[in-house]
Amino acid sequence: MVDYRELGIRRVVNAHNTLTAYGGSLMASEVLEAMENASRWFVDMHQLLEAASARAARLTRNEDAFLVNSGSSGLLLSTLAAMTGDDMSLIARALEQGPQQLARREVIMHRCHRIPYDPVLRLAGAEIVEIGNAIQTFDWELRAAINERTAAIMYVAGEHLRLPALSFERVSEIAAEHRIPVIVDAAAQLPPKENLWRFTQAGAAVAVFSGGKEIRGPQASGLMVGSRKFMDAVRAHAFPWQRYGRVAKIGKEEIMGLLTALELWLERDTDADVRRADTVIEEWRSSLLQRLPRVEAVRDWPGEAGRPMPRLRLSWTPETYPEASSIDESLRSRDPAVVVFVADSHSIWLNPELVDDADLDLVVDALVTVFEGAGAS
Ligand SMILES: *Cc1c(COP(=O)(O)O)cnc(C)c1O
């Protein structure tokens, strides 16, 4: 059996977030067991996807759902589905001539919603049409961007983007007037649980979630929820067919793992997660205040991307310690590595959510060693 150490891979203590770059999240033993059981049978994948989608739809209070190998794949399939619908002649055209040859291929995005994940829309053949600016967006800008080439509006959910963008409800209303599907990227927008049904109930054709982030499913999994009509178009492009959506292939093990993780997460007491985070933050804060008196430590709210989770912010003056990027680098070069969120030039955030109880002191010790070492030089 190959093991991380044999490859020279160090363990990472994750005080950052469910970042793909650090392995997403850790799966519960029930999820691993479901994956192992799934690995023992051959099954008809069309049947499995249908049954698993129906289960995921019921769990998330949606009309339909589809399981894929990542949130990004969910965006790819959503874009393809929006450009062709379930019209097989358009799908055939896209397959023969390339999706760039489709007449309806513009996807409207707020400029403030441009994210590092959106190149996948271009991969699907879409042209991104921007509205608004970094500070504000008006209704008329959305209306003016809509024309006969518009395939969809892509809306990136998140409290952190609320101010410069039109509200989701407003976008949904305008889209409905023009019968244009709205694709919601909610990949990391959990909790709250309601986000699994809120966007689709308010009119989105589809909402896309990462399976390997908060849901704590397999890292290579993604969940799409939405209307039956839209999901029919998604399925027409998707795995197991040999079409563009083949790249979104999800294995039987990931399907069963994701479903199990979703069930567990929906039963999870997310208020208890917040209380646990607050307890850890208070413990970290008081030990750091004692051991690193020149570092200011305060509880912050909300968490990354506007998520309803507290985190601890550490700040210091340029006279006391070096820049946050250098502290970050020293923390990351330890064994085990400790990863944190660099907030600005002289502050970092610590998120206790993914740090095991057994590693809580290790985080404080690593910080003290790194700060003291850096301060002395
Ligand atoms: C993580 C993320 C994605 C991509 O999801 P993956 O499952 O990592 O492919 C897309 N959009 C946003 C906002 C994300 O945070």
Side-chain angles (χ1 to χ4, degrees):
M1 197 163 79
V2 185
D3 126 327
Y4 285 138
R5 275 161 301 204
E6 192 188 322
L7 296 180
I9 301 300
R10 277 175 297 148
R11 184 164 78 95
V12 170
V13 173
N14 186 357
H16 199 311
N17 284 294
T18 52
L19 288 193
T20 295
Y22 299 122
S25 52
L26 300 183
M27 295 180 277
S29 54
E30 292 93 325
V31 176
L32 288 166
E33 205 179 313
M35 292 178 78
E36 200 186 344
N37 289 341
S39 74
R40 298 211 179 92
W41 287 7
F42 290 104
V43 290
D44 178 321
M45 289 302 288
H46 282 286
Q47 270 180 13
L48 176 60
L49 275 167
E50 195 180 309
S53 300
R55 172 71 74 94
R58 200 163 66 238
L59 284 171
T60 61
R61 310 183 192 183
N62 279 278
E63 194 177 53
D64 207 345
F66 196 68
L67 278 56
V68 285
N69 60 4
S70 67
S72 296
S73 287
L75 297 178
L76 179 91
L77 279 173
S78 298
T79 308
L80 285 164
M83 295 193 309
T84 62
D86 58 0
D87 181 334
M88 287 314 293
S89 65
L90 288 180
I91 292 171
R93 171 138 198 234
L95 287 167
E96 280 157 25
Q97 301 169 6
Q100 297 80 0
Q101 302 307 317
L102 294 166
R104 260 179 200 276
R105 52 182 283 267
E106 292 183 1
V107 176
I108 300 172
M109 286 186 77
H110 285 73
R111 187 162 279 124
C112 66
H113 282 179
R114 295 302 308 274
I115 48 168
Y117 305 95
D118 67 37
V120 79
L121 274 62
R122 292 215 182 85
L123 185 64
E127 185 184 329
I128 297 173
V129 174
E130 291 185 352
I131 56 168
N133 56 49
I135 298 175
Q136 60 188 1
T137 312
F138 295 102
D139 285 21
W140 60 263
E141 292 177 289
L142 176 54
R143 290 182 195 282
I146 295 174
N147 62 56
E148 71 286 353
R149 294 181 303 281
T150 307
I153 301 168
M154 151 111 153
Y155 195 89
V156 181
E159 187 59 18
H160 59 311
L161 302 169
R162 188 171 54 85
L163 288 177
L166 295 173
S167 71
F168 176 72
E169 290 68 23
R170 195 79 198 100
V171 168
S172 178
E173 244 172 67
I174 296 171
E177 280 168 29
H178 296 269
R179 296 169 169 277
I180 290 169
V182 181
I183 301 167
V184 177
D185 177 355
Q189 291 297 312
L190 298 172
K193 290 174 187 164
E194 303 83 79
N195 280 357
L196 287 167
W197 50 88
R198 180 167 83 82
F199 300 108
T200 42
Q201 283 179 1
V206 58
V208 175
F209 298 89
S210 196
K213 292 180 181 170
E214 182 63 26
I215 297 171
R216 299 170 199 225
Q219 183 174 17
S221 69
L223 171 67
M224 309 171 70
V225 298
S227 69
R228 172 117 343 114
K229 186 172 162 50
F230 195 82
M231 290 304 159
D232 281 343
V234 165
R235 276 187 281 269
H237 284 280
F239 167 77
W241 305 119
Q242 298 97 336
R243 300 176 190 159
Y244 291 119
R246 183 77 176 201
V247 296
K249 170 159 86 177
I250 179 170
K252 55 194 182 305
E253 297 81 6
E254 283 80 15
I255 290 175
M256 299 310 280
L258 177 56
L259 272 185
T260 306
L262 188 60
E263 271 189 12
L264 286 175
W265 190 71
L266 280 163
E267 285 160 16
R268 196 178 170 94
D269 181 354
T270 48
D271 291 338
D273 289 337
V274 173
R275 287 195 298 276
R276 188 257 181 189
D278 267 322
T279 307
V280 173
I281 284 171
E282 192 40 42
E283 279 167 22
W284 277 351
R285 206 180 64 83
S286 63
S287 8
L288 287 168
L289 281 180
Q290 269 179 22
R291 297 174 65 186
L292 292 173
R294 292 186 297 169
V295 172
E296 189 190 24
V298 289
R299 175 194 189 268
D300 229 346
W301 178 276
E304 200 230 350
R307 293 178 61 242
M309 284 297 284
R311 50 184 167 175
L312 183 65
R313 188 186 181 106
L314 304 184
S315 321
W316 58 96
T317 61
E319 296 75 42
T320 48
Y321 296 111
E323 294 211 344
S325 56
S326 132
I327 297 288
D328 176 51
E329 203 179 306
S330 305
L331 287 167
R332 275 191 288 119
S333 62
R334 295 173 63 81
D335 189 5
V338 175
V339 297
V340 300
F341 192 124
V342 173
D344 63 33
S345 67
H346 293 88
S347 52
I348 57 177
W349 274 302
L350 304 178
N351 173 12
E353 204 180 344
L354 307 168
V355 181
D356 194 85
D357 283 342
D359 289 329
L360 295 178
D361 292 341
L362 181 151
V363 171
V364 173
D365 292 342
L367 285 163
V368 170
T369 308
V370 164
F371 273 101
E372 280 176 348
S377 64

